[in-house]
Amino acid sequence: MRLEKKIALVTGGARGIGFAIAKRLASEGAILVIADINEQGAREAAEALGSEKSLGIAVNVADEVSVNAMIRTIVDHYGRIDILVNNAGIGGNTPFLDLRLEEWNRTISINLTGAFLVAQACARVMAEQGSGKIINIASLSGQRGGHGRAAYGAAKAGLELLTKVMAVELSEFGINVNNIAPGAIETEMAKFAHDRSTRAAYNYLIPMTRYGTPEEIADAALFLSSEESNYIQGHTLNVDGGFREAGLMFRGSKNLGQTDQP
Ligand code: NAP
């Protein structure tokens, strides 16, 4: 029970990676607040955790008023916030030449500005406490130039840099700030954004030749939420099956057209 009685907030936790993280933290004794734009989904997810103390609430992370209301609810309920997993996000796969300003603004406002708003509001509470753990969910798309990832990748790259600045400024308040950068993870978002040829390309480029699972991201989030990571600060932990580090991969006859994964 590494997180016994810790109050943990997971944004976008109604499903996918966020829900898997919430489940993992709860399994180590944390009390969870699942906040999502899908209020019903957030409530059901909190109930599914089986802890009477867990809470499912609505938030639009891109809206400052909504974020502040969420933080007030949490502080009124529990009096503190020990862990924030800044996970809410939307995908996007529009080629650069076709990308419209509206989609660019929407992606940046949820994936980058939203993460900033939630992190700042939580960090103010944590600074008063003198402790806290913030984990931002970035992406491999923020590190490499993926096709169709102009807005999404720019937002995630910005989040990585924001994490470093936060780490520098928040160390004195006892707050750890780190990123997890997932590679290709099997979730609803991936189902929407990855067609058959994208999947084949990923499976070829990833040394482990498969997508990751939300549970594998959750294991990393547990580590960065626990005291076992106390001296890790401003770091990006890639959980990507080796995707970023891979160079030439010779696989004999197994080439791009012949992956056996769908
Ligand atoms: P997902 O299955 O689409 O879940 C995201 C959740 O966030 C959904 O419940 C969604 O609600 C919620 N959400 C969307 N906009 C929101 C807003 N403005 N305020 C509050 N909640 C909002 O996505 P996922 O695949 O689990 O991804 C989770 C995180 O991991 C994202 O930050 C994503 O960028 C990152 N990531 C994912 C992958 C991947 O391969 N899946 C790879 C790298 C990074 P609705 O469903 O109602 O929209």
Side-chain angles (χ1 to χ4, degrees):
M1 299 299 266
R2 278 178 276 179
L3 305 180
E4 189 133 38
K5 295 198 173 83
K6 299 283 186 196
I7 308 299
L9 165 63
V10 181
T11 65
R15 67 177 197 182
I17 290 171
F19 182 57
I21 292 173
K23 260 202 309 204
R24 191 74 184 94
L25 302 191
S27 77
E28 292 287 336
I31 295 163
L32 263 295
V33 180
I34 294 182
D36 201 287
I37 199 148
N38 174 0
E39 184 172 8
Q40 175 75 9
R43 288 216 182 107
E44 286 170 8
E47 273 165 31
L49 297 181
S51 158
E52 284 165 21
K53 290 184 180 156
S54 292
L55 199 64
I57 56 179
V59 72
N60 176 2
V61 296
D63 176 358
E64 188 176 14
V65 174
S66 173
V67 169
N68 289 339
M70 168 185 73
I71 299 296
R72 266 198 309 279
T73 303
I74 300 170
V75 173
D76 287 352
H77 238 83
Y78 304 109
R80 57 188 293 117
I81 303 171
D82 297 300
I83 299 160
L84 162 66
V85 183
N86 230 340
N87 166 80
I90 57 169
N93 225 352
T94 308
F96 175 73
L97 291 178
D98 300 328
L99 186 63
R100 301 184 76 92
L101 180 61
E102 188 187 2
E103 183 182 342
W104 169 273
N105 283 341
R106 181 170 144 73
T107 307
I108 300 291
S109 76
I110 295 173
N111 291 5
L112 180 57
T113 310
F116 155 71
L117 288 171
V118 177
Q120 187 190 55
C122 280
R124 286 176 175 156
V125 176
M126 291 171 173
E128 292 237 324
Q129 293 164 190
S131 67
K133 298 267 190 182
I134 297 177
I135 298 126
N136 293 322
I137 306 297
S139 173
L140 244 284
S141 297
Q143 301 171 359
R144 306 187 71 180
H147 191 276
R149 297 301 191 158
Y152 183 83
K156 294 297 189 180
L159 185 56
E160 272 203 31
L161 197 279
L162 178 64
T163 300
K164 292 177 190 173
V165 174
M166 288 169 61
V168 167
E169 293 192 14
L170 299 178
S171 286
E172 68 175 290
F173 300 105
I175 302 171
N176 291 85
V177 192
N178 292 292
N179 284 309
I180 293 173
I185 307 298
E186 201 62 79
T187 66
E188 290 301 314
M189 181 186 281
K191 274 182 203 145
F192 165 75
H194 299 185
D195 62 15
R196 206 178 165 76
S197 55
T198 307
R199 284 177 174 271
Y202 268 123
N203 287 327
Y204 176 72
L205 291 166
I206 297 168
M208 292 179 74
T209 63
R210 67 169 176 87
Y211 278 42
T213 65
E215 290 70 27
E216 287 168 325
I217 304 300
D219 287 334
L222 170 61
F223 170 62
L224 291 176
S225 301
S226 75
E227 290 185 4
E228 289 153 31
S229 60
N230 277 355
Y231 199 55
I232 298 178
Q233 185 65 299
H235 182 71
T236 296
L237 176 55
N238 276 47
V239 184
D240 64 0
F243 181 36
R244 185 182 62 177
E245 310 305 342
L248 176 66
M249 290 188 291
F250 180 67
R251 295 207 185 116
S253 62
K254 196 172 181 195
N255 63 25
L256 184 51
Q258 297 171 315
T259 57
D260 47 10
Q261 306 254 1

